[in-house]
Amino acid sequence: MALTPLPLEGADLRFDPHWLPRAEADALFAALRRDVPWEVHRIRLFGREVDSPRLSCWIGDPDARYRYSGARFEPRPWPPELRALRGRLAAGLGADFNSVLANLYRDGRDAMGWHSDDEPELGPAPVIASVSLGATRRFLLRHREHPRQRLALELPHGSLLVMAGTTQRHYKHALPRTVRPVGARINLTFRRVASRGGEADRVRSPSP
Ligand SMILES: O=C(O)CCC(=O)C(=O)O
Ligand SMILES: [Mn+2]
C-alpha cells in the first residue's frame, strides 16, 4: 500500500488520497448506499440521549459487539463487498479487523462531534482504517492537552486514512458540519473489537 505518513506529534497517521480506483469507489458507494440497512443511532451528548446527526450501521463478525456513546450494538452481517474490502485492508496493513462502523452523511448538515475511538474493547492502541466515499469532507484532529497541535485533512472519494499507535490516546477527531453545498458521503471505519469473553469484557463486567 502506498500510504504516506502524516506529520503530527504523538499520532500515527498514514494516508492515501487515491487508495481505491475511481470506478471501484463509485461502484462501492452506490452498492453501500443502496444495500446497507442505514439507521439512526442514539448517542449520549452532555448527559442526554439524542439522535446522531448521520445514519450508521455496525457490521461485523457475530461476536463483535460494540458499545459507544452509552449504546450497545449487535453487528449486522458482512455484505460481500465489505467482506472483500476488509480482506484487502487486513492483508495490506497486517491488521485483523472484525468489524466496521459504516456512516452515511446525507449532506453538509450531517456531522460527527469531537471524540476519540477509545472504547475499552478497542484496546490501548487500536489500528483504525478509515475509507471515505462520495463527497469530500474535512476531517479534524486536535491534541487533548495541546489544542494548538492539530491537523485538518480533506478526505476525498476513495481515500484511506489509517490511525494507529497513540493517535486515539492523544488526539480527538471530528467531522464538522459545513454550509457548503455537499453531496452524500459514506465513511467506513474498520476496527478490531475484543470479542465477548475477551479481555475488555472481563475488565468491564465483574462476575456476579
Ligand atoms: O466520518 C469520518 O471520517 C469519521 C467518523 C468517525 O470518526 C467515527 O465514526 O468514529
Ligand atoms: Mn471516530
Side-chain angles (χ1 to χ4, degrees):
M1 285 193 185
L3 289 162
T4 306
L6 299 178
L8 189 63
E9 204 181 317
D12 177 351
L13 299 169
R14 284 162 277 158
F15 187 47
D16 182 350
H18 310 292
W19 184 60
L20 285 177
R22 173 94 205 195
E24 197 181 339
D26 289 351
L28 187 59
F29 178 84
L32 294 175
R33 182 137 205 215
R34 188 188 59 224
D35 296 341
V36 168
W38 297 107
E39 50 199 37
V40 178
H41 282 182
R42 299 282 289 172
I43 57 168
R44 211 186 292 280
L45 201 65
F46 306 117
R48 270 197 322 137
E49 268 223 352
V50 296
D51 285 350
S52 174
R54 60 181 187 179
L55 300 181
S56 303
C57 185
W58 176 247
I59 293 162
D61 297 344
D63 59 355
R65 295 188 184 83
Y66 191 40
R67 276 161 288 204
Y68 86 98
S69 280
R72 194 184 171 93
F73 297 97
E74 293 288 327
R76 301 264 188 176
W78 292 96
E81 56 272 22
L82 286 188
R83 191 185 285 282
L85 206 62
R86 163 183 55 174
R88 273 159 70 183
L89 286 166
L93 299 171
D96 193 9
F97 300 113
N98 63 0
S99 48
V100 59
L101 179 64
N103 290 302
L104 171 61
Y105 302 87
R106 292 156 289 190
D107 58 32
R109 286 170 295 188
D110 278 356
M112 180 65 184
W114 288 104
H115 70 283
S116 300
D117 299 332
D118 59 356
E119 291 77 14
E121 54 265 58
L122 294 174
V127 177
I128 293 171
S130 166
V131 176
S132 292
L133 302 164
T136 298
R137 293 283 294 265
R138 178 167 293 191
F139 182 78
L140 306 176
L141 288 132
R142 184 178 76 192
H143 195 283
R144 289 166 179 275
E145 276 105 51
H146 313 291
R148 270 180 299 183
Q149 252 169 257
R150 53 168 64 227
L151 186 72
L153 200 58
E154 301 285 331
L155 298 181
H157 187 44
S159 64
L160 169 63
L161 172 67
V162 180
M163 299 187 273
T166 56
T167 307
Q168 305 303 326
R169 180 140 57 90
H170 293 153
Y171 283 85
K172 291 185 178 240
H173 54 269
L175 200 285
R177 284 189 179 80
T178 175
V179 292
R180 277 188 303 125
V182 291
R185 167 179 185 264
I186 290 173
N187 176 257
L188 307 165
T189 46
F190 289 83
R191 303 152 185 243
R192 168 149 204 97
V193 301
S195 56
R196 221 171 128 78
E199 185 89 24
D201 258 43
R202 280 203 301 277
V203 170
R204 299 192 106 217
S205 25
S207 37

